[in-house]
Amino acid sequence: MLAANARAIRSLLSGAVIRLAGFAVICSLIGMFVQMVMVAYPILAPSELTRVSSLAEGSLPRHLKEEARSFDTPDGVSFSVAGDWSLEGVQGEPWFWVSSLTGFRIENTDLPTSWTAASAVGINRGLAIATADGVISHHHFLASPFEGDAPSSALVEQVALPLPFVTMAGHPRLAVVAVLSLSGNVTIVDFRNPKATLSHPISDDASTLFWASPIQLHVVGDNHAEVFQFKTTDIGGAWSRLINPVHYEGYSTPGYLWLPLPASEAAEPKYSIAPLLFGTLKAASLALLVAVPLSVGAAIYVGFFMSTVQRGRIRPAIDMLTAFPTVVLGAIGLFWIAPMFETVLAALMGIVILFPLLTILGVFAMRSAGMRLVRLDALDDWPLKMIPLVSLVLVVSAFTGVSLADSLPGGSLKGYLQNQGITLAYFNSILVGLILGLAITPTIFSVAEEAINSVPKNLASGALALGSTPWQSYRDIVLPLALPGMIAAVMIGFGRAAGETMILLMLSGNTGIIDMSVFEGLRSVSASLALELPEAPRDSSHYHVLFVMGLMLFAVTFAVNTLAELIKDSVKAKTRGV
C-alpha cells in the first residue's frame, strides 16, 4: 500500500514538473516575442512635429536674425554639387550646370522652369522644387559615369500641397522639406512617406524658416522665432520602404539596397531588407536541392528496405551527425572547398550527369557476368554490397567531369563561364547550398525515416504475401501513409536552413544583392544579425530594423517548425489505429 502511494506521489510530482516546465517554455516564447515586438516597433512609428519654445524679439539671438536674413528667397539660386559643378536656376528660365573650373554651362532639361521656390535636400545630394500649381518635386543629383562630365538629376517623388506658401527649407540629411504656408502653418513634407504630412500652426508674421539641426526647425518672424522638434526615423514610418524598391540618393532608378552604415554620417542609410530575405530563401532552397535527394533517398532505404540489424547500426550513426557543429562544416568549406571550388564544381557536374548512367551500366555488366547482387523481389541488404561499385562510379564520374571541364573553351570551367559573361565569385551560392545541404541532411533523414518506419509492418507484409514486389509494397502501401511525415521532414530542414548562421556567415560573401545567379554570393538575415547587432547603436534605426528582421525570422521558423510538428502528429495518429 505504501509503495503504491509512493509511486502515485512520484507520478503526480513528475507530471506537475513536466507541466510546469512546458508552461515556462511557452511563457518564455511569448515573452521573447513581445520583447522583440517592443524593440522593433519604434522603427515603424510615425514622424512627429512638436513646438518646443518661442523667442520674443528682445530675446531673439543675433545669429537667428542673420540666419533668417540669409534664407530670403532670391530670384536666382545656386546649389553646389559634388565635384566642380554647381546647379544654377532663375525663375522662368532653364536650369544650368555650371563648371567652377571652366565656367562651361550645360542646360538641365529635367527640372521645371516655372518654379516659385527651391531648396537643397541633404548636403549636395538633392533638390526640392515648388511650382506655381502647388506641386513640390524631389530630385536626386546623379554623378556622371565619365570623369569631368556634368552630373544629371532624376525625379524621385512629387507631392501636391494645395495651400499657398511663402518659402521652404530642405532637411540637412533626409528627404524632407519644411514649408511655410500663407495660412499660418508650418508643414513637413516627407518624400519618404508622402501621405504622412505633418502640420502645426504658427504666428501670422512668420517670414522664413530653417533647420538648425536635423531634429530642430526654427520658424522666424519679424518679432519672434518659434522652435520645433522634428522626431522621425530613417524610414519615416513607412514600413513599405523595408520591402519595396526605394529610389535612393545617387541612383537613377528605385532598387533594393542594404547599407545601414554609409561611409558618411550625412549620407542616407539604406534599409531594404528584401535582399536579406531573398538571400535567406535562396540559400535554404539550394540547400534543399542538395539535401532532399540524399536524405529522403537514404530514409526510404533505411526505413523500409534495410534489415532491422543494419538499421540498428546505421540509424544511430546518422543521428549523431545531427549534432555535428556547423562551424566545423563552415571551416571545411572555407579552407578546403572554396580554394578549389572550380574543381569541386566540375567533379559534381560529372557525378550528376554520369553517375546514374554508369551505375546502370555497371549493374547490367555484373548481371551479365553472373553476379546477381541486385534482387528486386526481396528485402535484404544488397545495396550495401554495391558500395565498391558505387565508389568506383563516383571516382570515374568526378575524374571525367574535371577532365571535360579542362577541355572547355577558355581552358577551364571558370574561363568558359567568363566567356559566357558569367562571373564565378569566390564565395558563391552553390558553395553555400552544398555545405548547408550537408548540414541539414541528417535532420531531414531522421524525421523522414521515422515517418516511414512508423508505418505498421503488417501492411507491407500483407502486400508482399499477395505477390507485390518490395517496391510496389512501398509505393502503394507505405508511401501514402508516410508522405505527410516526409513533407514535414523537408519543412523542418527548411526551417533549420533558414535559421543557420555560421555557414552563411563564413561562406556567403555577405553581399546584400538580389541576383538569381547561383554563381554570385548572397546575404542572409541570420548572418546580418550576427554581424551587425553587436555593433549597432542602441535605439538607433539600424538597431530597430535588425530586430524587425529577427522578428520575421523567428516568426517564419516558428510557423514552419510548428506546422511540421502538427503534420508529424497527424501521421502518428493515422498509423496508430491501423
Side-chain angles (χ1 to χ4, degrees), residues 365-411:
M366 293 173 63
R367 292 174 65 91
S368 301
M371 302 174 61
R372 298 182 60 85
L373 298 180
V374 179
R375 298 183 57 194
L376 301 180
D377 58 343
L379 294 174
D380 57 17
D381 297 327
W382 59 262
L384 297 178
K385 303 176 183 177
M386 295 183 61
I387 291 180
L389 174 63
V390 171
S391 301
L392 178 62
V393 170
L394 287 175
V395 172
V396 172
S397 301
F399 180 78
T400 303
V402 173
S403 301
L404 292 177
D406 293 337
S407 62
L408 290 173

Side-chain angles (χ1 to χ4, degrees), residues 65-127:
K65 297 180 180 181
E66 296 176 354
E67 189 78 23
R69 286 195 296 270
S70 67
F71 273 78
D72 290 341
T73 304
D75 292 335
V77 292
S78 177
F79 302 100
S80 298
V81 185
D84 301 324
W85 294 88
S86 62
L87 181 64
E88 297 182 358
V90 178
Q91 293 181 357
E93 298 181 6
W95 292 80
F96 285 91
W97 297 106
V98 180
S99 173
S100 60
L101 296 179
T102 62
F104 193 68
R105 295 167 61 88
I106 300 177
E107 183 179 350
N108 186 340
T109 59
D110 298 328
L111 302 179
T113 57
S114 59
W115 55 276
T116 58
S119 177
V121 177
I123 301 178
N124 301 331
R125 302 196 313 269
L127 179 67

